């Protein structure tokens, strides 16, 4: 697997592939949590391309199979989304993407939120030393779990 920076805003073909992966990945999460009110599940191509995010993509045999997107400021990185093509599940793609992102975080802490009922995602973050800081209801009936990982000292 090869992980590289990607820019869906500058490459429409890449953006279309990424959007397809994002939609199927979030459809899996919607099934796991019993709720399809996940904004990236319904995102359009134009919205994805315009989002003010940085991206890493995971490529296997020359094909994009996953991506992680984040925003950052001088003290914190916020993982906005982590998507893996279901055909690449359970092969370490998500873990590799998050590890690569963490390796370049420097002295920033990293935060992430996921559906509270999305146990595979929660286990991934917990294995990577993220600490649960709480759960909250973002819309009636939809709960998210919020995690933080402090920088290595």
């Amino acid at each position: 697997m090869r992980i590289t920076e990607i820019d869906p805003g500058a490459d429409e073909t890449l953006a279309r592939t990424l959007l397809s992966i994002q939609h199927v990945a979030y459809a899996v999460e919607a099934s796991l949590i019993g709720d399809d009110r996940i904004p990236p599940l319904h995102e359009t191509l134009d919205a994805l391309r315009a989002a003010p995010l940085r991206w890493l993509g995971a490529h296997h045999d020359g094909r994009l199979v996953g991506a992680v997107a984040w925003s950052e400021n001088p003290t914190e990185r916020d993982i906005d989304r982590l998507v893996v093509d279901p055909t690449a599940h359970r092969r370490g793609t998500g873990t590799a993407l998050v590890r690569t992102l963490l390796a370049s975080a420097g002295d920033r802490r990293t935060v992430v939120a996921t559906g509270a009922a999305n146990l595979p995602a929660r286990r991934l973050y917990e294995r990577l030393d993220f600490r649960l800081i709480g759960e909250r209801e973002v819309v009636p009936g939809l709960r998210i779990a919020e995690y933080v990982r402090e920088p290595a000292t």
Side-chain angles (χ1 to χ4, degrees), residues 86-99:
T87 65
H89 280 183
R90 308 283 184 262
R91 295 185 186 160
T93 304
T95 299
L97 284 161
V98 175
R99 280 190 174 144

Side-chain angles (χ1 to χ4, degrees), residues 6 8-9 12 28 32 34 39 60-61 66-67 74-75 79-81 83 103 107-109 111 123 129-130:
I6 59 174
E12 184 173 340
V28 170
L32 288 169
H60 181 70
D61 291 336
T75 61
I79 298 175
D80 184 83
R81 61 195 81 177
V83 297
D107 61 356
R108 293 180 192 97
R109 73 186 205 144
V111 297
R123 284 192 294 268
D129 298 324
F130 281 80

Side-chain angles (χ1 to χ4, degrees), residues 71-86:
S71 59
E72 65 185 23
N73 63 44
T75 61
E76 184 175 275
R77 278 192 170 173
D78 183 350
I79 298 175
D80 184 83
R81 61 195 81 177
L82 173 63
V83 297
V84 176
D85 187 319

Side-chain angles (χ1 to χ4, degrees), residues 83-151:
V83 297
V84 176
D85 187 319
T87 65
H89 280 183
R90 308 283 184 262
R91 295 185 186 160
T93 304
T95 299
L97 284 161
V98 175
R99 280 190 174 144
T100 302
L101 181 62
L102 292 171
S104 66
D107 61 356
R108 293 180 192 97
R109 73 186 205 144
T110 304
V111 297
V112 67
T114 190
N118 186 346
L119 299 181
R122 293 184 71 166
R123 284 192 294 268
L124 181 150
Y125 294 122
E126 290 166 4
R127 275 194 325 270
L128 295 174
D129 298 324
F130 281 80
R131 178 178 48 85
L132 179 66
I133 55 174
E135 290 187 19
R136 64 185 171 96
E137 191 172 55
V138 290
V139 295
L142 180 59
R143 298 189 61 76
I144 61 168
E146 298 174 309
Y147 287 88
V148 63
R149 186 176 190 273
E150 299 297 336

